[in-house]
Amino acid sequence: MSPEFRLADYCDLLYDQALLTEGSPITDPLRFTRLVAELMVADGKAAAGE
């Protein structure tokens, strides 16, 4: 994925987190879940040196 696309994903993720924090619904819960999972996998790979 290009860095620009990842930046857009992070922005969407942070926005959805803010909505959830204030008690508002998010428009695409499945996408939110996928982004969180992808971030966790990427972080795990980076920590393992892959």
Side-chain angles (χ1 to χ4, degrees), residues 9-29:
D9 286 342
Y10 288 133
C11 290
D12 290 344
L13 186 60
L14 288 172
Y15 179 72
D16 284 346
Q17 284 180 321
L19 288 174
L20 290 171
T21 299
E22 73 175 11
S24 297
I26 55 178
T27 56
D28 191 350

Side-chain angles (χ1 to χ4, degrees), residues 35-45:
L35 289 174
V36 170
E38 287 177 359
L39 181 61
M40 290 170 42
V41 168
D43 224 25
K45 286 182 178 180

